[in-house]
Amino acid sequence: MLTAIIVEDLMDAMQLLKSDIEINHPEIKIIDTAKSVVEAAKALRNNEPDILFLDIMLGDGTGFDVLEIFPDLKSKIIFVTASDEFAIKAFKFAAIDYVLKPYAKEELSKAIGKAKLQIQPNKERLDILKQTLNAPDKKPDKISLHTLEKIIIVNLDDIIRCESDSNNTMFHLQDGKKIFVTKTLKYFADLLKQFGFLRVHQSHLVNLQCISAFIKTDGGYLMLKNGKNVPVSVRKKSEVIEVLDQMHR
């Protein structure tokens, strides 16, 4: 039997989650609930559960405030967030799993399964999540990348380009290192387009700051500052020219 505490400030959402766990996950016993940072702190002082369902936005603060009160908490955390595009983007940048409200049974089951196995996000990944949530329009300093063996944190400015490799993505960094990530190029194109990255080809996503020139001959290609060339697809050519013109105005 696993124990759990739910921290959720909306009563309807809490009841829905509580009911779902009791019906579909009898191996989990809910030992306490809390609607605020203060109540969560009191609950966690009394018991450290195996799993902590933690809402991000609480009436008197955030889920991060709860974690700062208990920096050595050993509970597996399942973050809960509203269906907000900025929040979802923040979780993707930090490579941290989450469950959306309103809860889908399959999504919750998947999160519980992962929570039983996962290693806790370290402070740096939590900081990325917090930074991106607090300033959704500001370019994040870092991103967490899931490889087959581990999660690597890199500076966004260190990424020169990303290249499609089947349903995976190869990141090319300023220091010559390559990082193989088990997510599609489209996933990263959608995530990074707001922050100075442009999909110039079906197989290539480029950091605009790393482009030195656009060569219109030979079908069109980009010269990068590291001396490499990247092809530009026919349908992306006008967009690339427009973006580069705007950058140099």
Side-chain angles (χ1 to χ4, degrees):
M1 178 69 76
L2 297 170
T3 59
I5 288 177
I6 300 173
V7 181
E8 167 63 76
D9 66 338
L10 299 176
M11 187 53 69
D12 287 350
M14 183 188 285
Q15 288 301 333
L16 186 65
L17 179 56
K18 193 167 182 285
S19 171
D20 198 325
I21 292 168
E22 287 170 349
I23 293 168
N24 298 306
H25 299 278
E27 76 280 12
I28 298 174
K29 181 183 180 184
I30 299 164
I31 54 174
D32 212 341
T33 60
K35 299 189 294 293
S36 65
V37 174
V38 171
E39 287 186 15
K42 185 178 176 184
L44 288 167
R45 280 196 189 98
N46 293 332
N47 290 290
E48 185 172 271
D50 296 308
I51 299 174
L52 176 65
F53 292 89
L54 184 60
D55 192 6
I56 289 291
M57 303 309 294
L58 301 167
D60 59 346
T62 71
F64 299 112
D65 297 324
V66 175
L67 296 180
E68 282 172 15
I69 295 169
F70 299 94
D72 300 320
L73 192 69
K74 300 291 189 295
S75 307
K76 302 293 176 71
I77 300 164
I78 296 179
F79 283 101
V80 175
T81 185
S83 304
D84 178 297
E85 64 173 302
F86 296 120
I88 293 166
K89 183 169 281 191
F91 278 99
K92 287 179 177 178
F93 260 94
I96 292 174
D97 291 318
Y98 59 93
V99 173
L100 285 178
K101 293 186 280 186
Y103 310 103
K105 287 184 176 65
E106 301 77 19
E107 207 176 282
L108 184 60
S109 294
K110 192 174 169 185
I112 288 171
K114 282 186 177 180
K116 290 174 183 176
L117 302 170
Q118 78 175 9
I119 298 166
Q120 288 300 83
N122 62 18
K123 185 180 183 302
E124 200 169 5
R125 282 167 65 206
L126 289 171
D127 285 345
I128 292 172
L129 177 60
K130 189 174 181 180
Q131 178 200 19
T132 318
L133 276 172
N134 289 343
D137 293 322
K138 183 175 178 280
K139 182 180 177 180
D141 296 326
K142 298 178 180 181
I143 186 170
S144 299
L145 301 176
H146 254 294
T147 72
L148 289 166
E149 299 85 24
K150 56 187 174 180
I151 294 173
I152 300 171
I153 294 166
V154 302
N155 291 322
L156 224 54
D157 289 340
D158 287 342
I159 301 167
I160 296 174
R161 64 188 179 94
C162 307
E163 187 174 356
S164 174
D165 185 339
S166 186
N167 286 324
N168 306 295
T169 301
M170 185 69 79
F171 277 73
H172 297 261
L173 305 185
Q174 298 279 11
D175 61 4
K177 284 183 184 170
K178 296 178 183 179
I179 300 175
F180 183 79
V181 183
T182 54
K183 288 195 180 297
T184 64
L185 187 65
K186 183 184 184 305
Y187 176 92
F188 291 109
D190 291 343
L191 192 60
L192 296 173
K193 64 185 176 185
Q194 183 187 347
F195 304 114
F197 286 76
L198 183 64
R199 183 98 178 248
V200 299
H201 187 279
Q202 186 177 348
S203 301
H204 298 281
L205 176 70
V206 176
N207 182 345
L208 292 171
Q209 301 302 320
C210 296
I211 297 171
S212 64
F214 174 52
I215 309 302
K216 296 180 182 178
T217 56
D218 297 328
Y221 62 92
L222 295 171
M223 285 180 63
L224 304 183
K225 291 176 181 176
N226 67 350
K228 302 287 186 183
N229 295 338
V230 173
V232 174
S233 68
V234 173
R235 66 187 188 87
K236 286 286 185 179
K237 196 176 289 188
S238 59
E239 184 184 356
V240 169
I241 291 169
E242 185 181 340
V243 169
L244 294 178
D245 279 348
Q246 287 174 353
M247 283 176 64
H248 294 101
R249 275 176 195 167

